[in-house]
Amino acid sequence: MAILQVQYDARNATVRRLVQSLIESGIFMPMSQKRKKHKTGIEEADEDIRAGRVYSAKSVKDMFEQLDKE
């Protein structure tokens, strides 16, 4: 997919309508719509908890024992 960067005078109503109609038709998509939403740390942590990727250990020794088992 190619990226086309356009600069235009937004005060010009004709050009503004033309650009808006291209976006509405689906031919072009503003960059703000194409970017993926980055997850916050809280969202990632919540996802880890739901997926069961969180472990707990009673002590450091217990933690190393759990690591050795894997």
Side-chain angles (χ1 to χ4, degrees):
M1 181 180 291
I3 296 175
L4 175 67
Q5 186 174 5
V6 179
Q7 283 186 320
Y8 63 94
D9 183 7
R11 293 176 290 180
N12 185 329
T14 305
V15 175
R16 189 174 61 237
R17 281 193 303 264
L18 174 65
V19 171
Q20 189 61 35
S21 65
L22 290 171
I23 292 170
E24 289 173 357
S25 70
I27 295 172
F28 293 103
M29 187 181 311
M31 290 297 292
S32 61
Q33 292 180 358
K34 294 182 80 175
R35 294 184 181 159
K36 293 181 180 177
K37 180 183 178 249
H38 294 285
K39 294 180 183 176
T40 64
I42 298 291
E43 291 171 336
E44 288 179 5
D46 188 43
E47 185 177 292
D48 288 340
I49 291 169
R50 291 174 195 254
R53 294 187 294 254
V54 178
Y55 304 97
S56 60
K58 296 176 186 173
S59 65
V60 174
K61 183 178 178 182
D62 185 34
M63 179 183 68
F64 281 113
E65 287 175 0
Q66 289 179 20
L67 290 172
D68 288 338
K69 290 179 185 177
E70 292 179 7

